[in-house]
Amino acid sequence: MIEHQSELPSVGPEISAAALDEARLRQQAIGVRLRQMFDEVVNEPIPDDFLDILRRADKSAEQG
């Protein structure tokens, strides 16, 4: 029986380590950007209309 060998070159540990490093760097960059976006949203001012709704809800809860 003839054994079939892949025509693709074998991937050495250097290439797989480089691919892992690249993936980690991408994940890190995504994490940094997500944290920045979250901080921007958290630090946005609350719209006055929304604050009015919350005040009315608080008054209703106190009365009823």
Side-chain angles (χ1 to χ4, degrees):
M1 188 182 291
I2 299 174
E3 291 183 27
H4 178 68
Q5 291 183 343
S6 173
E7 295 178 16
L8 297 173
S10 64
V11 177
E14 303 85 30
I15 294 174
S16 63
L20 282 174
D21 287 344
E22 185 178 338
R24 285 186 187 119
L25 287 174
R26 270 195 218 131
Q27 280 185 322
Q28 210 172 23
I30 291 169
V32 167
R33 185 62 187 128
L34 283 172
R35 280 189 287 282
Q36 288 172 343
M37 291 173 64
F38 178 80
D39 288 341
E40 289 171 11
V41 170
V42 166
N43 292 321
E44 286 181 3
I46 299 172
D48 291 335
D49 292 343
F50 189 69
L51 288 173
D52 289 339
I53 292 170
L54 291 175
R55 285 186 196 109
R56 281 187 268 149
D58 283 343
K59 284 181 185 177
S60 294
E62 289 173 1
Q63 293 173 357

